[in-house]
Amino acid sequence: MLRHLILLSSCILAFHLVPAQQKPNVIYIYADDLGYGDLSCYGATKIHTPNLDKLAASGIRFTNGHCTSGTCTPSRYALMTGQYPWRKRGTGILPGDAALIVPVDKITLPKVFKQAGYSTGIVGKWHLGLGDSVAKNWNGEIRPGPNDVGFDYSFIFPATADRVPTVFLENRKVLAADPDDPIAVDYTKKIGDDPTGAEHPELLKMKSSEGHNNTIVNGIGRIGYMSGGRRARWVDEELSSTFMFKALQFIEDHRKTPFFLYFALTEPHVPRMPATRFKGASGLGYRGDDILQLDWTIGQLMKYLELSGLKKNTIVIFTSDNGPVLDDGYQDGAVSMLNGHTPAGPMRGGKYSALEGGTRIPFIISWPTHIAPSISNALVSQIDLLASFAHLLGQKVPAGEAPDSEDHLQTFLGQADTEGRRILVEQGLADPTAIVEGNWKYIHPHPGPPLMHAVGIETGNASYPQLYNLKDDIGEKNNLATKYPEKVKELEALLERVTHK
Ligand code: NG6
Ligand code: CA
């Protein structure tokens, strides 16, 4: 907090030093598991998010904005590469010791900016793997990683807050690593002496509801085992402010050149363990408290941009990597304290789901000097940011690369009354089963379970075809497949064509 105030006051002093620049700065803020209905600007009434509401009111609030997938790794892969994740094996939810899955020799979103002369940075959750194998040395330099796919600067945690190793990495190296206490990670068997949640549930400050019973760090059972690195392990309550400080520092350091910052927040992903001052603040349990913490963070960031004179020429994009989930494996009160809140808004399904709740998420773009406040119902997807920013910055996408990224710059900037994408494939937990074309949505029959019991979410899987008219039926309640068999056939063929090209 103190340091933040120092940063804020230092940028007040530096206000007059900001050079005029043509190219806009771009900050891409990625929430983790935030649902369409989690923000008051998207209709939430049980929780109030004034800072995001303000951001939305200053720019375009998309009502039909999508990530590509119902989980994190594939959505992030698509964002980075402009390729639908299901085209490449190994893009499902990654363990914390996975190797890097983003190709180092192909165009990426940050490379588009780098080529255009930007300083590029990532702060926050990565979850796209590190190094070239599972067996990597966490005590030396780890490469390849974010710094090898387009980021000049990286301050990340490797996977998710519930997966070991629970450490930060800054530019390839674990922060506060100690050669006398080397870090080892294993996802197959217990290593080291740290107690596990399975053996010692009495040591947990938050119990698991499913899994999450391997190594205990800060009283929270994780997925995977780690030993060593005691000095380097983060404290969960400091995760969010640490990322915020590093993000502000990156901006401060690069304020004189155009910059691209990928700010990947950890809220409201499990384990939800907000800073102490947010605990209890929402009345909806830690999930709600996490959302308030996230909203506060955005408020600080925007205040910082304003005070530093950067706000006008900075494009801020705010969105989420997949739909919402309540009980995602910890007993944190998300279900018992829900109080009538509807995280997916009017949509059916949520995280892991091919229904709209899985991939239709908050999507806000603000650029004070170029975008007039509006609400857009155009179909837009994060996968198109790569090609769209390439257009904005006059960069070429090499032939055959970023194959699924389409240029929708005009739609993203509200420069024309365009409808955005014509076709979008939606992926739930695994297979790409759903396709949207205009107002129609088709979900192909799938043998998976219709309900993911552990999380209480409808997956969209059914043994029969589903056809919905999203214009009249955003909640996907009225299956029109038997009424319009020709439409089913047409969209089934289209899904087949798109996914097998
Ligand atoms: C699941 C985890 C869940 C979460 C998810 C990944 C269990 C029981 N569930 O396997 O807690 O970590 O993976 O979430 O372990 S994501 O947003 O990164 O895709
Ligand atoms: Ca996620």
Side-chain angles (χ1 to χ4, degrees), residues 32-33 70-76 92-94 125 127 159-163 208-213 222-223 269-271 321-323 325 327-330 351-352 429 452 454-455:
D32 195 359
D33 297 4
T71 60
C72 168
T73 300
S75 285
R76 283 160 205 255
I93 302 170
L94 290 180
K125 168 176 176 168
H127 211 183
T160 58
D162 56 346
R163 285 174 173 75
S208 99
S209 56
E210 207 207 352
H212 299 111
N213 59 5
R222 314 282 164 163
I223 308 173
H269 193 281
V270 297
D321 70 337
N322 52 252
V325 57
D327 181 342
D328 206 14
Y330 291 98
K351 183 173 181 177
Y352 309 111
L429 178 59
M452 227 172 129
V455 294

Side-chain angles (χ1 to χ4, degrees), residues 20 23 38 59 104 135 142 199 213 230 242-243 250 261 263 282 325 330 349 381 433 441 479 500:
K23 287 178 187 162
D38 276 326
V104 293
I142 301 174
E199 297 159 353
N213 59 5
R230 282 170 186 77
T242 303
F243 286 152
F250 176 83
L261 171 64
F263 187 18
S282 69
V325 57
Y330 291 98
S381 169
T433 50
K441 172 157 172 186
N479 185 2
H500 287 88

